[in-house]
Amino acid sequence: SNFWPRPGRLKFQSLGTAPTVRMAGSGAAPLSGVLVVDLTRIVAGPHCTKILCDLGARVVKVELPREGGDMLRMFAPRVDGGEATTSSAYFAQLNGGKESIALDLSIDPTTAQPNAPADREVFERLLSKADVLVENFRPGRLGRLGLSWDVLHARYPQLVLCSISGFGQTGPYQSLAGVDTIIQAMSGFVHTTGFADRGVKVGTTVSDLLAGVYAAVGVQAALLARAREGQARRVDISMLDTSFAFHAHDLSMFSVRGQEPVRLGNQGSVSPTMGIWRCADGEEISVATSPFDVDEIADALEAPEIKVDERFRGYDAMLENKEALWETMGRAFLTRPRAAWLERLRGRRWAAGPVNKMADLAEEPQLRHRQMLRRTADGRFLLVGNPVKVSGVAEAEGAPPPPALDGHGAAIRTELGVPNTLGEPSPGGTRVSRL
């Protein structure tokens, strides 16, 4: 295909190196050599830059001292010991491996000049070396800081800008605040999740996280386009867009049949033999098998009544009578403990798995084998690992720690040839690679 650049044409322009990913064999981390300036906070933006960091990019987190840095530093749960600004386990999950510098980027509204010119100079020098700037301010805030896309693109033509917001940079809702629960409600997640009498939100902050994943994809696409065309682009990510994009099946049903999605609780949406059932020991099991082999279903569950009941003879009949089928399957699952069902059904090549609690997941052997459970060297945090496994690249032992607020400030200023204007050396973070 002519779309993808030939080997050797991908030449990113920054010289920064990533602090947390190590090579195995001759393969470099995929984003090695990419410098990302991270002007984000809370969840969606930091999730994006954490993905880029895990893939080998060097990420410099720029925090605003007038706002106390990233607000996520104050979120529960917090752990004792160590530097105070790194006590939040939630902050550690999304920021491990990044570097932090505190810079006052505010503008005096009366003079339209920076309140802290020295900090502004540091930031501008960072941008001159960077490949990517990621921000998740409400639309318009970046412009009020004198950093609109037009200004940035003219001054730093190599710089990809990724903007993440609730509703995007355009449209009638662009100025509205968008947080996870609101986006879940507006995008369809709440309407399609839960039981018949009431919708519920997804347990995790799915709209924040989806925006972060799509933003990371968009950044990498923009870097490929830059390598091919020599032109940086802006990536505009809307949380509403990225959450709505996960409702393709529901939209298809509505557009073709005029049907609103029916909340099914723990039942499968397309197969009457897919769902979650309670077992004899009170534990729950998730099961999926083909609805087209009635005899196998009856034999595996030791429920011969399924085989002879005319209501279950064939896929269409099962769909029409799925509540009765579910009750029959439910009675069968109550005859054995979960472990026995898992052994029996997996032995018959059914897809089956336990409904895991966090205590189960923390000891899950499959996750441990794939290094998805990693502890920081100081033992303070058990963190989620990098789910993107790339051949030729080995993950470092343990999890990279979160940065202290301005923990790399003095080192980065020295690197950029700017005096440390804060009066005191910044704590920690002394590892520096050349910008």
Side-chain angles (χ1 to χ4, degrees):
S1 169
N2 292 327
F3 178 81
W4 295 103
R6 293 189 300 276
R9 289 181 61 194
L10 295 176
K11 297 184 189 246
F12 301 129
Q13 297 180 29
S14 74
L15 301 176
T17 57
T20 60
V21 179
R22 296 293 180 265
M23 294 183 293
S26 60
L31 295 183
S32 178
V34 174
L35 175 61
V36 177
V37 175
D38 180 1
L39 199 55
T40 71
R41 65 263 191 255
I42 311 299
V43 177
H47 184 51
C48 165
T49 54
K50 175 60 174 169
I51 293 170
L52 301 176
C53 184
D54 284 345
L55 290 174
R58 180 183 182 186
V59 178
V60 175
K61 185 177 182 71
V62 176
E63 303 190 66
L64 307 182
R66 289 178 180 239
E67 299 178 5
D70 187 342
M71 188 189 305
L72 196 64
R73 290 182 180 276
M74 300 297 108
F75 278 35
R78 301 168 67 83
V79 299
D80 296 329
E83 205 276 340
T85 64
T86 64
S87 64
S88 167
Y90 198 7
F91 178 83
Q93 293 283 0
L94 294 174
N95 293 280
K98 302 177 185 178
E99 302 169 47
S100 170
I101 183 171
L103 298 174
D104 183 355
L105 303 180
S106 63
I107 299 293
D108 186 328
T110 60
T111 65
Q113 297 299 311
N115 285 310
D119 281 6
R120 188 68 171 219
E121 181 183 357
V122 172
F123 187 67
E124 299 277 351
R125 291 196 186 190
L126 264 178
L127 294 185
S128 71
K129 304 293 185 180
D131 297 284
V132 181
L133 171 64
V134 185
E135 59 93 12
N136 63 343
F137 294 125
R138 197 180 301 192
R141 173 86 184 275
L142 202 63
R144 291 192 294 275
L145 293 175
L147 299 169
S148 68
W149 168 240
D150 288 343
V151 169
L152 289 172
H153 192 49
R155 193 174 297 166
Y156 310 109
Q158 90 291 347
L159 185 69
V160 170
L161 172 62
C162 179
S163 298
I164 306 169
S165 61
F167 301 97
Q169 302 298 308
T170 62
Y173 297 164
Q174 64 175 296
S175 63
L176 298 180
V179 298
D180 182 82
T181 51
I182 293 170
I183 301 301
Q184 285 202 40
M186 293 182 66
S187 66
F189 275 122
V190 173
H191 180 61
T192 58
T193 307
F195 295 86
D197 60 337
R198 187 181 184 189
V200 299
K201 73 178 187 67
V202 179
T204 190
T205 56
V206 63
S207 291
D208 276 327
L209 298 173
L210 282 175
V213 171
Y214 273 105
V217 172
V219 164
Q220 292 171 85
L223 287 174
L224 281 173
R226 189 190 72 177
R228 184 179 63 242
E229 303 167 357
Q231 183 80 355
R233 304 189 187 191
R234 185 179 195 178
V235 178
D236 176 7
I237 298 294
S238 155
M239 290 172 62
L240 181 62
D241 292 354
T242 54
S243 289
F244 176 66
F246 265 53
H247 290 86
H249 177 258
D250 300 318
L251 180 63
S252 298
M253 292 295 290
F254 177 76
S255 63
V256 173
R257 298 182 180 177
Q259 294 178 355
E260 286 286 346
V262 177
R263 287 189 290 270
L264 299 172
N266 288 327
Q267 296 182 21
S269 61
V270 295
S271 172
T273 55
M274 178 188 298
I276 297 172
W277 285 270
R278 191 174 300 276
C279 301
D281 55 357
E283 300 291 347
E284 292 180 311
I285 188 172
S286 179
V287 169
T289 191
S290 169
F292 298 102
D293 191 343
V294 178
D295 291 347
E296 167 60 17
I297 295 169
D299 292 344
L301 298 181
E302 296 182 320
E305 63 271 30
I306 293 177
K307 192 179 302 188
V308 299
D309 195 322
E310 290 298 324
R311 296 175 299 172
F312 309 145
R313 299 305 295 181
Y315 176 70
D316 291 338
M318 284 185 182
L319 280 180
E320 187 175 346
N321 300 286
K322 62 184 177 182
E323 294 296 337
L325 178 62
W326 257 64
E327 291 177 7
T328 304
M329 294 177 70
R331 288 193 297 271
F333 278 110
L334 288 172
T335 62
R336 295 173 184 240
R338 183 171 69 185
W341 279 120
L342 287 171
E343 181 178 6
R344 178 176 177 81
L345 297 180
R346 286 173 171 173
R348 300 177 76 105
R349 302 187 66 80
W350 283 38
V355 175
N356 281 330
K357 305 177 181 67
M358 280 299 131
D360 302 318
L361 291 168
E363 301 298 330
E364 174 58 59
Q366 179 68 16
L367 293 177
R368 287 191 173 276
H369 174 79
R370 292 182 61 81
Q371 299 186 61
M372 287 303 299
L373 293 158
R374 301 170 65 198
R375 191 169 290 280
T376 53
D378 59 10
R380 298 171 76 204
F381 302 111
L382 179 64
L383 305 181
V384 172
N386 176 17
V388 181
K389 313 301 184 186
V390 180
S391 62
V393 179
E395 295 181 83
E397 290 295 323
L405 178 59
D406 198 49
H408 302 80
I412 291 172
R413 284 180 169 85
T414 299
E415 209 177 336
L416 293 170
V418 179
N420 180 20
T421 59
L422 298 183
E424 296 180 7
S426 300
T430 56
R431 192 213 65 78
V432 179
S433 60
R434 298 305 305 170
L435 285 166

